[in-house]
């Protein structure tokens, strides 16, 4: 009976990993796919490799946090409770993926485990509080760092990395020899090649950061059991993520690469670097971070930084000039020097975001963690007779 339950647990963990692959490939490689510098299959392959590297290194620390530190009671994680927790994580993420929205896997997983901890009175509120504080602080850091970049350095970065797209593929394969080898497309310029390499490299960095934070969401409940080793589960979880990246991730790649926003490629690169840096830093100390939320605030901060270029710090403090704060500033090809221009130089936010798709994304990013948390809490409360 134990062996059967363990197989069920492994299957459910693989299902969670599958949905993580679907949820995280879009944020990582959506900009590259949307800019036509990488195919969906290429994005899935790179996601698989770099997720595994992140999971096998810093990801082990986050596994320990979720599997051992968040709930402290002896024998809280049994095969049965682990399967139920993973079921709610995977089920909630599947809802988001089916809607084509990359929900926060970390918030979804922590919510399900916290539901178990509350129902059994074993939740370590100090650890939960530390995680929650960083969930609040990290997006603020992302906002301000991106704001500073947008105000002072965006134009310079744009000149370095902006892609000037030409007709045809960025790369092609020369099949004249025994082994096909990649060559430049017929119209690919040196600048286009450099920009393409940069945006692909950023996607790889994001995939690595996803592995450091998200592998725990698939395997931590099982690794918490004495009979389950971490290394085989990391291999299993990473393989499941790869399957998700090659299949269901196509929906989130469309959403992040084409539907939600016309985010300029330079802006996407800035957001990716800032967000990935924060996620990797938190993973290094064992904190599961929400990349989706951090990246969203980074986009807003970047737009705020560009929009406020029309006002100097002194003018802002004295109230001499009011800026128009809008993420629509990201769509502007050129912004005026600091302290020059007026509000009319700042494009409307409606020029950047698709309102309908944006509303769907915001809704599902809140619904998915709530489904996981409430579902687990109610289920375990019923099983363990929790007194409300």
């Amino acid at each position: 009976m134990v062996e059967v339950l363990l197989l069920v647990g492994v299957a459910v963990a693989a299902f969670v990993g599958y949905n993580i692959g679907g949820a995280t490939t879009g944020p990582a490689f959506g900009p590259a796919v949307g800019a036509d510098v990488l195919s969906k299959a290429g994005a899935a392959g790179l996601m698989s490799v770099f997720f595994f590297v992140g999971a096998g290194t810093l990801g082990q620390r986050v596994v320990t946090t979720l599997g051992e530190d968040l709930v402290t009671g002896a024998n809280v994680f049994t095969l049965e409770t682990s399967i139920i927790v993973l079921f709610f994580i995977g089920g909630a993420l599947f809802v988001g993926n089916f809607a084509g929205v990359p929900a926060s896997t970390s918030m979804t997983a922590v919510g399900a485990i916290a539901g178990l901890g509350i129902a059994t009175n074993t939740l370590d509120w100090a650890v939960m509080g530390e995680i929650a504080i960083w969930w609040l602080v990290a997006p603020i850091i992302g906002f301000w760092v991106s704001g500073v970049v947008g105000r002072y350095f965006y134009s310079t970065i744009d000149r370095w990395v902006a892609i000037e797209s030409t007709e045809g593929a960025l790369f092609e394969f020369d099949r004249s020899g025994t082994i096909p080898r990649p060559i430049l497309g017929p119209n690919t310029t040196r600048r286009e090649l450099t920009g393409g390499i940069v945006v692909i490299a950023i996607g790889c960095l994001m995939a690595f950061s996803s592995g450091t934070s998200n592998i725990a969401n698939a395997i931590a409940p099982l690794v918490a059991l004495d009979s389950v080793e971490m290394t085989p589960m990391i291999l299993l979880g990473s393989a499941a993520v790869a399957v998700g990246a090659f299949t269901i991730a196509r929906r989130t790649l469309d959403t992040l690469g084409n539907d939600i926003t016309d985010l300029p490629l330079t802006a996407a690169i800035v957001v990716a670097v800032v967000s990935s840096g924060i996620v990797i830093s938190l993973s290094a100390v064992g904190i599961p971070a929400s990349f989706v939320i951090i990246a969203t605030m980074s986009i807003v901060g970047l737009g705020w930084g560009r929009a406020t270029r029309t006002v100097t710090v002194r003018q802002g403090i004295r109230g001499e000039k009011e800026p128009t704060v809008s993420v629509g500033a990201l769509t502007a090809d050129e912004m005026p020097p600091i302290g020059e221009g007026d509000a009319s130089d700042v494009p409307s936010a409606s020029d950047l975001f698709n309102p309908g798709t944006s509303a769907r994304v915001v809704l599902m990013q809140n619904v998915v963690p709530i489904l996981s948390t409430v579902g687990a809490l109610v289920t375990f409360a019923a099983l363990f007779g929790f007194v409300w």
Side-chain angles (χ1 to χ4, degrees), residues 78-92:
T78 63
L79 269 174
E80 293 83 357
T81 59
S82 297
I83 290 171
I84 293 172
V85 166
L86 288 169
F87 170 80
F88 281 109
I89 296 173

Side-chain angles (χ1 to χ4, degrees), residues 119-146:
T120 56
N121 291 314
T122 58
L123 180 65
D124 189 323
W125 287 100
V127 174
M128 186 67 238
E130 183 181 7
I131 293 173
I133 288 172
W134 277 112
W135 280 355
L136 294 173
V137 172
I140 295 174
I141 295 174
F143 173 89
W144 282 107
V145 171
S146 297

